[in-house]
Amino acid sequence: MKSRLHAYIGTIRQLEILLAVFDGGSIKAAAESLHLTQPTISMQLKKLSDAIGMPIYDQAGKKQVFTEAGHALVATAREVLGSFNRLDMQLSDLRGLRAGKLSLAVVTTSKYFIPHLLGPFCKRYPGVDIRFEVGNRENIINRLEQGADDLYVFSHPPEDNDLEYLQFLPNPLIAIANENHPLGKQQCISLSELLEHTVLVREPGSGTRYAIEQHLKQHDLKLSENITIASNEAIIHSVMEDLGIAILSAHTLAFGGFPEIIQLKVETLPIETSWYVVWAKKRRLSVIASTFLQFIETEGKDGLLRKLGNQVTVN
Ligand code: PGA
């Protein structure tokens, strides 16, 4: 038997009229807001009522009291019109996808691999303009609070119910040293032993330092003798010169090739964290931003894992 549903829908215009009557509270109010005559409104509602084979409302004096079927039709009308509105937004966003912008703010430690996501994405969508800001965790939290960008990348995002998070990649923090460092030959180094040596650490406000401090706190330890260096690259070069040991994301060494640097075997390391893309719930994502998220979740992440797997060179 042929479904009657096709008949329920009527025309989009009839559904708009139905909602105007329901929301306005009367045929008169709907006629005024839609600039139609009251008989036109009544006629369209009758057509809808005939289509579903039940009355939409009962007349109580001058008021229309919606029946159960009328309420169901109103709910469906809202869904249908809502879908059309979303389609409309998507279509205009799609027009924008050919020539739109994606604004991304990422913490410094992710800058080593984010370009390897952006490269294939921009090849696929050549009309997209990218703005790519890099800063330490504190800087990127500030940008997030100001709503300056579409998407943010953190390993230690702020916890906030107003944010959405997409976890997309593991982020191991490893201890590294110059190949001639005395700890290099040791098979199982305790955290407290590690802290007896000079540790090169990122600046306060960085996610890397935050992760290290949290980890040490869990083991009732604190950074003691350390040198603060506000740059992953400068820390790596300092380790190459045996200025101290360091705990950094393994991704800072990806794509590098640093033969003088070795990974230390510390009992509670790596510190296992993850990478997240973060955005504000209240910000409606553009189609470009949503497409980039989808890309990260699927082929972007897979391609990156393959590349990173080949590129982290410490042993
Ligand atoms: P960082 O941040 O680059 O500031 O160290 C990394 C993170 O969010 O953990």
Side-chain angles (χ1 to χ4, degrees), residues 5-24:
L5 277 178
H6 68 288
Y8 289 6
I9 301 302
T11 65
I12 295 296
R13 189 61 178 152
Q14 281 170 354
L15 297 183
E16 280 170 350
I17 290 171
L18 173 76
L19 288 188
V21 174
F22 187 81
D23 294 338

Side-chain angles (χ1 to χ4, degrees), residues 7-289:
Y8 289 6
I9 301 302
T11 65
I12 295 296
R13 189 61 178 152
Q14 281 170 354
L15 297 183
E16 280 170 350
I17 290 171
L18 173 76
L19 288 188
V21 174
F22 187 81
D23 294 338
S26 70
I27 289 182
K28 186 165 177 277
E32 277 165 17
S33 73
L34 296 173
H35 306 292
L36 294 172
T37 63
Q38 291 191 36
T40 304
I41 302 259
S42 303
M43 193 179 69
Q44 294 303 331
L45 290 183
K46 175 149 187 341
K47 281 190 183 167
L48 269 178
S49 171
D50 289 347
I52 63 170
M54 279 186 254
I56 295 175
Y57 58 83
D58 296 320
Q59 198 66 41
K62 289 193 175 167
K63 277 197 75 67
Q64 289 76 39
V65 180
F66 276 69
T67 61
E68 205 179 326
H71 278 282
L73 195 55
V74 164
T76 303
R78 287 203 201 285
E79 277 173 32
V80 171
L81 293 176
S83 298
F84 269 87
N85 283 342
R86 280 193 294 280
L87 174 68
D88 204 33
M89 285 191 302
Q90 277 178 357
L91 291 177
S92 40
D93 274 342
L94 275 175
R95 274 174 226 120
L97 190 56
R98 283 199 287 270
K101 288 189 171 46
L102 173 65
S103 167
L104 206 60
V106 313
V107 291
T108 46
T109 305
S110 66
K111 71 181 176 192
Y112 306 90
F113 64 82
I114 294 290
H116 299 281
L117 282 172
L118 288 174
F121 182 73
C122 290
K123 276 204 184 85
R124 172 83 64 83
Y125 302 104
V128 175
D129 285 344
I130 308 281
R131 197 179 77 194
F132 178 29
E133 294 285 337
V134 181
N136 72 13
R137 177 177 183 263
E138 196 171 277
N139 303 145
I140 302 303
I141 289 178
N142 284 341
R143 292 188 70 92
L144 171 65
E145 283 169 358
Q146 288 159 19
D149 310 276
D150 297 313
L151 301 172
Y152 304 84
V153 175
F154 292 96
S155 184
H156 297 87
E159 279 177 36
D160 189 335
N161 288 337
D162 294 333
L163 297 176
E164 298 273 10
Y165 304 84
L166 168 71
Q167 184 177 1
F168 68 98
L169 201 71
N171 179 26
L173 271 71
I174 58 173
I176 54 170
N178 180 281
E179 58 186 343
N180 297 318
H181 194 280
L183 288 179
K185 295 207 167 51
Q186 220 165 296
Q187 279 315 306
C188 185
I189 307 158
S190 71
L191 260 187
S192 45
E193 244 179 313
L194 188 81
L195 296 180
E196 285 162 16
H197 296 260
T198 304
V199 186
L200 312 175
V201 275
R202 286 278 308 280
E203 73 285 8
S206 69
T208 305
R209 188 182 186 116
Y210 173 83
I212 295 169
E213 285 176 344
Q214 293 292 106
H215 186 75
L216 294 180
K217 202 165 149 195
Q218 278 167 20
H219 295 87
D220 292 320
L221 291 167
K222 269 189 176 159
L223 282 170
S224 44
E225 195 183 332
N226 67 70
I227 298 178
T228 298
I229 303 180
S231 148
N232 291 326
E233 289 81 2
I235 290 181
I236 290 169
H237 283 267
S238 305
V239 172
M240 283 159 78
E241 286 303 321
D242 211 5
L243 193 60
I245 57 171
I247 300 174
L248 284 183
S249 161
H251 296 156
T252 59
L253 299 152
F255 308 102
F258 303 99
E260 322 67 347
I261 294 183
I262 52 165
Q263 180 174 346
L264 297 176
K265 298 183 181 73
V266 183
E267 60 184 6
T268 63
L269 298 187
I271 304 174
E272 300 287 357
T273 60
S274 292
W275 289 111
Y276 298 85
V277 187
V278 177
W279 64 99
K281 276 185 185 160
K282 65 171 191 261
R283 189 180 176 111
R284 192 175 73 80
L285 287 182
S286 67
V287 167
I288 297 177

